[in-house]
Amino acid sequence: MNAVLINGEPIQVYLTMAQRLDSVHPAACTDAEVLLYRDGEFVERLAHRGDGCYKGSAVAEALHEYSCKVVIPGYDTLYAHTEVPAQPVVKDVNIIENATLDEEGNACPAIMITFKTDPDKRLYYQSSIDAAFFYYYYYLGMIYNSTGTRGSMNHSINTDDPVLLNEGSDLLLFSNEIISDTTYTLKVNASFNSHSYSSSGQAVTFDSIVRSGYVVVSMSGIAESCYQYHKSQEAFQAPDAYTNLFLGTITPLNLYSNVENGRGLFTAIAPVTCDTVFLH
């Protein structure tokens, strides 16, 4: 059973059955009874819409707990529950020039994300950043040359932010465990190298260089189960002393599951996209 409840969107649950080891895909479960509850009260029975997807009319709402009961003929009944988190409140996004260097020695900026949190309650977050930078080189009052770079990232390079260091990872997946105030400014050292281009031009002394562009920050409040799943996925992907990629061996590891009598993830997120930061 797998479901990601998204704040403000209809709830849907996916059910599949494990197959033989040589099977490419799991088989869709089409004959289950899927019952949805909110704060302990029955909401509705989800209808099968095809390919193991069960959906109703209920919409996920922040700060409510949802549970799901799945009855499959001939199998143990599945149970799972989660709470939909509140959307993060991002108060400000700023950029610091030349905050760090990438592996090739190029100067990179830091994106500073200031958001509200509640130090009296353990909260979990996930973020990603999209950006584009354009440089226009002027000579004799006209644009003589231009360069640009754009990309996206969900991690920090040369991490020096305390909250990210506490997670032991460069991924923008974190909790407010060590945050003691109601607001926090997260420092993300950014490197955008997925795509770059430049127009042709001869070497000249330019009159001026003008930069423009944008930075878009996406941030989600996530349920603890979502946080734990991503942490287990990260542990699976990180090589250890028992991993030998040349021999095709890797340490067995079960991904996090919060489904009783089965496997899967029943979790929730509340995403928000911050205002674009224009640079000039």
Side-chain angles (χ1 to χ4, degrees):
M1 176 169 70
N2 288 289
V4 179
L5 281 60
I6 303 175
N7 181 43
E9 296 189 11
I11 296 172
Q12 50 190 10
V13 176
Y14 291 86
L15 297 176
T16 55
M17 306 290 288
Q19 299 295 292
R20 294 162 50 97
L21 290 176
D22 57 357
S23 299
V24 177
H25 300 291
C29 180
T30 61
D31 59 347
E33 181 183 39
V34 182
L35 306 177
L36 181 69
Y37 299 82
R38 183 180 64 187
D39 299 330
E41 299 291 332
F42 176 73
V43 175
E44 63 177 333
R45 176 176 176 175
L46 305 185
H48 183 243
R49 301 297 179 88
D51 296 327
C53 175
Y54 292 77
K55 188 176 180 180
S57 59
V59 173
E61 299 178 10
L63 305 180
H64 287 279
E65 182 174 322
Y66 290 85
S67 56
C68 191
K69 176 182 177 181
V70 178
V71 180
I72 304 174
Y75 294 88
D76 292 338
T77 300
L78 306 180
Y79 299 94
H81 66 89
T82 190
E83 180 179 343
V84 180
Q87 281 187 326
V89 177
V90 178
K91 298 178 66 66
D92 197 16
V93 176
N94 284 304
I95 185 168
I96 297 178
E97 301 284 1
N98 305 321
T100 189
L101 300 176
D102 65 15
E103 59 185 11
E104 296 180 354
N106 299 312
C108 297
I111 311 301
M112 310 296 290
I113 309 170
T114 302
F115 62 96
K116 297 179 64 175
T117 189
D118 183 356
D120 297 325
K121 182 179 181 181
R122 184 64 59 84
L123 300 173
Y124 303 89
Y125 304 94
Q126 189 173 30
S127 185
S128 64
I129 300 172
D130 293 284
F133 303 99
F134 308 98
Y135 299 85
Y136 301 95
Y137 304 88
Y138 285 81
Y139 179 66
L140 299 179
M142 299 180 64
I143 297 178
Y144 186 81
N145 196 4
S146 63
T147 62
T149 182
R150 62 167 57 93
S152 60
M153 59 184 298
N154 62 355
H155 66 281
S156 176
I157 67 170
N158 305 327
T159 300
D160 54 5
D161 181 87
V163 166
L164 296 181
L165 289 173
N166 183 62
E167 296 293 337
S169 169
D170 294 330
L171 291 177
L172 304 185
L173 174 73
F174 55 94
S175 75
N176 66 343
E177 179 183 8
I178 65 170
I179 300 175
S180 58
D181 203 348
T182 56
T183 61
Y184 184 78
T185 299
L186 185 76
K187 182 185 179 188
V188 181
N189 293 325
S191 176
F192 301 97
N193 296 315
S194 65
H195 173 70
S196 63
Y197 62 88
S198 64
S199 63
S200 61
Q202 299 176 0
V204 299
T205 301
F206 300 109
D207 297 330
S208 63
I209 301 175
V210 178
R211 189 183 76 167
S212 65
Y214 61 83
V215 175
V216 179
V217 175
S218 299
M219 191 172 185
S220 297
I222 62 176
E224 180 182 5
S225 53
C226 184
Y227 172 86
Q228 296 293 352
Y229 173 80
H230 283 297
K231 282 294 186 182
S232 68
Q233 189 177 46
E234 183 181 4
F236 177 77
Q237 294 171 341
D240 57 26
Y242 300 97
T243 300
N244 191 322
L245 299 179
F246 294 101
L247 297 179
T249 59
I250 189 169
T251 305
L253 177 69
N254 286 325
L255 292 176
Y256 175 85
S257 170
N258 65 342
V259 177
E260 184 179 345
N261 296 326
R263 300 291 303 176
L265 185 68
F266 189 78
T267 191
I269 64 174
V272 64
T273 300
C274 306
D275 291 340
T276 302
V277 177
F278 290 94
L279 308 171
H280 302 284

